[in-house]
């Protein structure tokens, strides 16, 4: 899909393993204030954007802000891996509570691409096997996204598709 249609009022879940390009995609297609990144919230609560220990507080804070935005009718993008159904379910529930459409943009790129990017990143020190597990979890559950409640599911499968993608806001 070259053109990704996103309702003016939506909760957009970016979905993909680490190094899939979620934050890059978000920065390219959305305003900075529209994007709530789990890493930003980890840093806000713990001064360490990689702190796994801070995950619960980070997400509680992220959901609080997301809820305030949606209540004000502001489009909101959640930049977190969201490869597990339980994580996505919470996003769908939040969207439903605020009567906005949950939309998923999935970055499902080849594993070797992600591993190469990961190796080149100074900001991600963890074992690349983590990426393999995230990709496996995503692919195992990807077909279930519409049933989870996402009204639109856009899947980008290569760097070329990501490069060509445009986001169009529709009323
Ligand atoms: P996490 O925050 O770890 O979950 O990763 P992420 O999905 O947010 O990935 P991010 O956008 O940070 O991209 C990871 C690395 O891949 C960065 O070094 C980017 O510069 C690079 N990258 C992301 N998207 C693209 C792309 O479309 N093309 C190329 N060539 N590089 C990209
Ligand atoms: Mg990121």
């Amino acid at each position: 899909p070259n053109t990704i249609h996103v309702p003016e009022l939506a909760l957009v879940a970016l979905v993909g393993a680490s190094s899939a390009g979620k934050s890059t995609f978000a920065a390219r297609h959305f305003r900075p204030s529209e994007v709530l990144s789990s890493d930003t919230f980890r840093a806000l609560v713990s001064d360490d954007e990689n702190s796994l220990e801070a995950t619960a507080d980070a997400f509680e804070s992220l959901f609080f802000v997301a809820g305030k935005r949606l209540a004000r009718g502001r489009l909101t993008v959640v930049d977190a891996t969201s490869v597990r159904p339980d994580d996505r379910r919470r996003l769908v529930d939040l969207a439903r509570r605020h009567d906005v459409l949950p939309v998923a943009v999935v970055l499902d790129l080849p594993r070797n691409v992600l591993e190469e990017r990961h190796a080149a990143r100074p900001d991600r020190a963890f074992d690349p096997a983590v990426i393999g597990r995230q990709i496996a979890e995503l692919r195992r559950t990807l077909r279930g996204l519409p049933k989870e409640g996402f009204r639109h599911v856009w899947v980008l499968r290569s760097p070329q598709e990501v490069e060509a993608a445009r986001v169009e806001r529709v009323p």
Side-chain angles (χ1 to χ4, degrees):
N2 265 2
T3 304
I4 294 173
H5 297 284
V6 170
E8 306 257 19
L9 183 46
L11 175 62
V12 180
L14 300 179
V15 177
S18 182
S19 286
K22 302 177 297 294
S23 301
T24 303
F25 186 91
R28 183 169 164 206
H29 297 287
F30 298 95
R31 289 200 283 271
S33 54
E34 291 176 327
V35 180
L36 305 182
S37 157
S38 54
D39 296 328
T40 303
F41 280 89
R42 281 197 178 90
L44 284 171
V45 301
S46 78
D47 295 320
D48 176 1
E49 74 162 80
N50 285 302
S51 173
L52 293 180
E53 164 276 321
T55 297
D57 283 339
F59 275 93
E60 191 181 327
S61 313
L62 186 156
F63 273 75
F64 180 80
V65 177
K68 292 294 185 191
R69 289 187 56 84
L70 296 177
R72 293 168 160 276
R74 308 313 300 174
L75 181 138
T76 300
V77 179
V78 176
D79 172 14
T81 54
S82 299
V83 292
R84 298 186 312 162
D86 281 352
D87 297 337
R88 295 190 296 263
R89 203 121 47 208
R90 278 191 279 277
L91 294 171
V92 170
D93 288 345
L94 179 70
R96 287 205 178 125
R97 281 202 295 281
H98 292 279
D99 209 25
V100 309
L101 290 179
V103 174
V105 176
V106 182
L107 302 178
D108 180 19
L109 277 63
R111 179 175 173 168
N112 66 309
V113 172
L114 271 56
E115 286 175 349
E116 275 170 32
R117 290 179 181 175
H118 176 82
R121 289 178 76 177
D123 59 329
R124 291 288 185 274
F126 55 77
D127 185 340
V130 170
I131 290 175
R133 288 198 288 275
Q134 290 173 340
I135 291 175
E137 179 66 6
L138 172 60
R139 294 189 181 155
R140 189 177 71 75
T141 61
L142 182 53
R143 274 180 308 174
L145 262 73
K147 220 171 197 175
E148 289 174 11
F150 289 98
R151 288 290 294 274
H152 303 286
V153 179
W154 304 91
V155 185
L156 302 172
R157 298 191 188 276
S158 69
Q160 294 73 24
E161 279 187 22
V162 172
E163 171 62 33
R166 301 285 175 269
V167 172
E168 195 175 312
R169 298 182 191 213
V170 296

